[in-house]
Amino acid sequence: MTTADLTITPLTVPDSLDDASAADFIAYGELNQLVCDEEVGLPYLSPTASQMLASWQDESDSLQVGYIARRDGDIVGMVSLAYAQEEHAKAAEFDLLVPAAYAHDGIAESLLLYAEDDARRRGRDVLQTWTLHRPAHTEDALVPKTGWGRIPPTALSQLLEAHGYGLEQVERNSELDLRADPGVLERTLADATAFAGRDYRSLAWELPTPPALRDGYAAVLARLVTDAPSGDMEFDAEVWDADRVARRDVRMTSAGQLVAVSAVEYVPTGEIVAYNELLIGPDRAEVTHQFGTLVATEHRGHRLGTIVKCANLLRWRELVPQSPRVSTFNAEENRPMLDINEALGFVPVSYAGAWQKKI
């Protein structure tokens, strides 16, 4: 097969999935889940088209664009890119989606080069992407620059290496059985709360964030890209305020999604210094996803990560009793967070590689 008969065109973002122009965006959601299924057997790692639409429509904080590869009128691959909208932003994050049936047809390479050209035109010089991997142990396993974690090579990882991308980090995807005995969570939460002491107070809410908490929540959300372990990945610092929190709330609760937040306030200053988020789509019997979890650097060592995780998981069992398990990603070098996960019963189910190239 050659790529001479390949056409690449922009992905249309519809006003509604009921519009006549929505077919390609719906196909984008389906392809995303197909690739997740083929690569690691976990199609739910990708949100559906309806869950993604609001984020694509709102360009206030991140511009998202996509391109579709077709052969003889059939969709054979896609690439999407996300551009942070801060004036200083240098990075472009992209996601290559090519079904296994076309993995060796040169389609992924064509889309990769197209994405790089798009980033250049927009003045970005740091390219970043993530690959999914099964938990296999092979002699040719790839080792990230951090030295933590191993992943087996795939067709996509080999393509990225051939084009000058470096494996910066490995993330572990773990899952917890939400129907297990909650005793471990309850005891762990009680011990951590006693250890933290009275200077720390637990907070909880479901999105949208109460107006009185938006400024404090904005401050801790901004620290996710600076305080979380990221190897040598050059993430752009983000500018957050109460309005951005409100915009994010609208995007995250679109299409019937539910998001619960557990946080910790440092009583002497009133600052929010730790948080954990759990999200589920409109089908409350599906898998739950953990979004951000962070403890501000200067407040680590007080078991606040344990508090926000346990408190949110216990409350989630009451809010969404039908969901069977929760899925989360953590950097392999983030041993403090992985120690918490393992103690609570999380088990690894897949891995992700973080890749970066400077152009």
Side-chain angles (χ1 to χ4, degrees):
M1 287 282 188
T2 69
T3 57
D5 56 349
L6 197 69
T7 61
I8 299 177
T9 57
L11 172 63
T12 298
V13 182
D15 293 329
S16 165
L17 293 185
D18 294 326
D19 293 353
S21 62
D24 285 350
F25 197 84
I26 293 172
Y28 165 59
E30 293 172 346
L31 180 58
N32 223 325
Q33 295 196 317
L34 171 64
V35 170
C36 289
D37 192 19
E38 289 181 337
E39 291 182 341
V40 294
L42 306 172
Y44 52 78
L45 288 181
S46 171
T48 64
S50 62
Q51 291 172 287
M52 292 188 289
L53 184 57
S55 294
W56 280 68
Q57 291 172 332
D58 182 1
E59 301 177 0
S60 305
D61 307 306
S62 177
L63 170 66
Q64 302 197 67
V65 297
Y67 298 97
I68 308 171
R70 285 186 170 87
R71 176 183 287 155
D72 299 327
D74 296 327
I75 295 175
V76 293
M78 295 188 186
V79 64
S80 61
L81 299 101
Y83 296 100
Q85 293 299 279
E86 281 82 6
E87 291 184 7
H88 61 268
K90 300 189 300 179
E93 299 180 10
F94 68 91
D95 191 18
L96 272 172
L97 302 171
V98 177
Y102 306 108
H104 303 288
D105 288 3
I107 295 167
E109 183 174 37
S110 295
L111 286 168
L112 174 61
L113 296 175
Y114 205 94
E116 290 184 350
D117 286 342
D118 192 88
R120 287 190 184 95
R121 289 195 301 271
R122 298 177 192 271
R124 305 301 172 100
D125 56 14
V126 178
L127 294 164
Q128 299 168 335
T129 191
W130 283 259
T131 53
L132 290 174
H133 304 260
R134 294 179 184 269
H137 300 284
T138 61
E139 292 184 359
D140 56 350
L142 305 175
V143 182
K145 294 179 183 178
T146 63
W148 290 83
R150 305 288 187 274
I151 51 175
T154 63
L156 181 52
S157 71
Q158 291 170 341
L159 173 66
L160 293 169
E161 282 190 302
H163 281 267
Y165 288 80
L167 179 60
E168 303 290 347
Q169 186 181 51
V170 167
E171 293 187 353
R172 180 190 302 186
N173 172 215
S174 306
E175 291 186 350
L176 175 72
D177 182 357
L178 287 171
R179 296 175 179 173
D181 183 354
V184 172
L185 294 172
E186 293 167 346
R187 291 189 297 272
T188 304
L189 176 59
D191 290 345
T193 301
F195 183 87
R198 295 182 179 180
D199 278 351
Y200 295 99
R201 181 170 72 96
S202 291
L203 305 174
W205 67 91
E206 292 97 59
L207 298 191
T209 305
L213 296 176
R214 288 176 188 165
D215 285 326
Y217 201 40
V220 73
L221 286 172
R223 301 186 64 163
L224 184 61
V225 297
T226 59
D227 287 18
S230 57
D232 289 331
M233 295 288 278
E234 293 190 13
F235 293 120
D236 297 313
E238 297 175 346
V239 178
W240 283 81
D241 58 18
D243 290 340
R244 180 164 180 171
V245 169
R247 292 193 299 271
R248 178 179 184 264
D249 287 353
V250 170
R251 295 191 297 266
M252 291 185 70
T253 56
S254 67
Q257 297 179 115
L258 173 67
V259 183
V261 181
S262 172
V264 170
E265 175 190 53
Y266 183 53
V267 176
T269 64
E271 298 171 279
I272 294 177
V273 297
Y275 78 96
N276 171 270
E277 297 171 324
L278 295 175
L279 176 148
I280 196 167
D283 185 348
R284 303 296 196 253
E286 290 295 325
V287 173
T288 295
H289 295 275
Q290 179 180 280
F291 265 48
T293 298
L294 181 76
V295 178
T297 303
E298 64 273 22
H299 290 274
R300 291 174 182 170
H302 298 279
R303 301 188 189 175
L304 305 186
T306 298
I307 290 173
V308 293
K309 276 180 173 282
C310 291
N312 220 15
L313 288 167
L314 286 168
R315 191 161 62 97
W316 193 255
R317 290 167 61 101
E318 299 177 1
L319 289 172
V320 191
Q322 309 99 310
S323 182
R325 57 192 180 277
V326 59
S327 170
T328 184
F329 281 85
N330 299 97
E332 276 290 339
E333 68 268 32
N334 191 357
R335 279 313 316 177
M337 199 62 73
L338 289 176
D339 286 345
I340 296 171
N341 287 349
E342 291 166 2
L344 298 181
F346 280 87
V347 295
V349 293
S350 71
Y351 294 85
W355 300 81
Q356 182 171 266
K357 176 182 177 179
K358 298 178 182 179
I359 57 175

